[in-house]
Amino acid sequence: MQKKAKSVYEDLRVDISRAKSAAVGAADGLTPGEFHEIEPRVARLHATLTKERKDKKYGFYDLYKDKVAFDGVKDVACHFSEMGFKNLVVLGIGGSALGITALHTALGDPYRNLRGRKARDGRPRLFVMDNIDPVTFKTMMHVCKPEKTLYNVISKSGGTAETIAQLMIVVDMLEKKLGAGAVKDHLVVTTSPRGEKAPKSLLHPVADAYDLVSFDIPLNVGGRFSVFSPVGMFPAAMLGMDLDAMVAGCAAMDKQCSRASLTDNPAYLRAAVQYLMDVRKGKVMSVMMPYADGLRDVADWYRQLWAESLGKKFDLEGKKEVFTGQTPIKALGVTDQHSQVQLYREGPNNKLFTILEVKRFSASLRIPDVLPQVKGLDYLRNATMNKLMAAELRGTLDALKMSHRPVIRVILPALNAYTVAQVLYMLEVETAMAGCLYHVDAFNQPGVEEGKIIARKLMGGDR
Ligand code: PA5
């Protein structure tokens, strides 16, 4: 019999044992009875989500399967890569910016933008412009010479004032410095598709006027769920990230997250724990604390996903006021041990912690046997930074447990395109299930609109 080839990829693991009553007590941890009680509800909601997925109400689940879109992204990236750009500048905000930022931090060299072309494998540096601070934007324009820069404007609605303002400045600069005819070699559009049923995007006439390459964001995919669409995948391809490994990571996680059983489905398990902790144990805040610099911006991405999806005034029917949502907080281990952990251990016991762990770092660093004149450093001599990091992590886990603070561990065997895709995919499915548990619409963001309308009016716009 032929032996089954061992997968080159290793899956992440979710461990909720430190969120159980056995670990932190029944006042702060979940009891077997509480799990038992919520299980049938999760199974029912799974049936609803599965049907809605099948009916294509939500597109995020299946983005990784869209071979045409992935091939398109790769082809265009190949074309622009041959032009040898030094910089890729993303113009976008919120869901149009946070996904690629998370991937860049997780999968790039930590000082990638400071390194030479060779160290970047000939790929461009990345600048994500997700704000309208004039100082930052002007400095970016100075640092990124237009002739060496490709811009990717990303806006699903095509009407976000901040992004459009950035675009107007960039188009004007390109026209003045390189000529209108050159714009198409320096600007790529990512926006909603054209069609009778699709809302009009202001980026469509721009793409037409300059004959720009344009990617579609499927209508059934919201900004914060769009990282595996061209929103995240085109810049990722330009930076040389392993898209195939990301697809494999999504596929493996999809398999796990398609199980109806609460205990076998990491996304549902996390959603149920977060929800119960909020409504039963008063854990109104959800802290995500990675113990790896590379995962720092995954916590930032999650912050938007959790806040915008679940922070809702009305229930799903839009009638009853519910005011739902945990406040997501991003932290970083070990750095925030010296900033936040005092509060986390001794302040109000109103937080659930997600600790993201990486078992094997891609580098190891030995602490040398030096400073013999300083007594008491033997515990560090000849150890590694890796070992110290693991000890600090364990210290935080155990200290939180001693203070009855519940923790979910998410353990990545290593940090790579496969595992990062698994984390992002799992958190998306988790958010969808959490929306069902809270009985709110996780896919809209009415609370963001009012401020946008006021700002537009103040600028002299019509609405
Ligand atoms: O998740 C969302 O839908 C939002 O955060 C949007 O991504 C953000 O408001 C930007 O919108 P747009 O892509 O339409 O410019």
Side-chain angles (χ1 to χ4, degrees), residues 123-199:
R123 304 287 181 165
R125 306 183 293 182
L126 177 72
F127 298 86
V128 179
M129 307 313 293
D130 64 350
N131 206 348
I132 42 169
D133 184 315
V135 177
T136 311
F137 206 79
K138 218 170 166 180
T139 308
M140 178 279 291
M141 292 204 298
H142 180 72
V143 168
C144 301
K145 302 290 172 224
E147 60 278 13
K148 292 184 174 174
T149 303
L150 177 67
Y151 296 88
N152 181 196
V153 59
I154 307 176
S155 175
K156 182 170 177 203
S157 62
T160 302
E162 296 90 330
T163 305
I164 298 297
Q166 293 177 339
L167 176 69
M168 289 160 86
I169 292 168
V170 163
V171 167
D172 179 60
M173 177 190 65
L174 288 173
E175 281 195 352
K176 283 186 179 139
K177 297 222 164 139
L178 308 178
V183 174
K184 79 173 190 327
D185 292 330
H186 291 266
L187 182 60
V188 171
V189 164
T190 307
T191 190
S192 54
R194 297 168 196 246
E196 268 175 34
K197 286 191 189 146

Side-chain angles (χ1 to χ4, degrees), residues 93-96 155-157 160 223-224 304 308 445 452:
I93 197 164
S96 299
S155 175
K156 182 170 177 203
S157 62
T160 302
R224 57 193 175 275
Q304 186 219 10
E308 234 173 55
Q445 53 286 325
K452 281 189 182 179

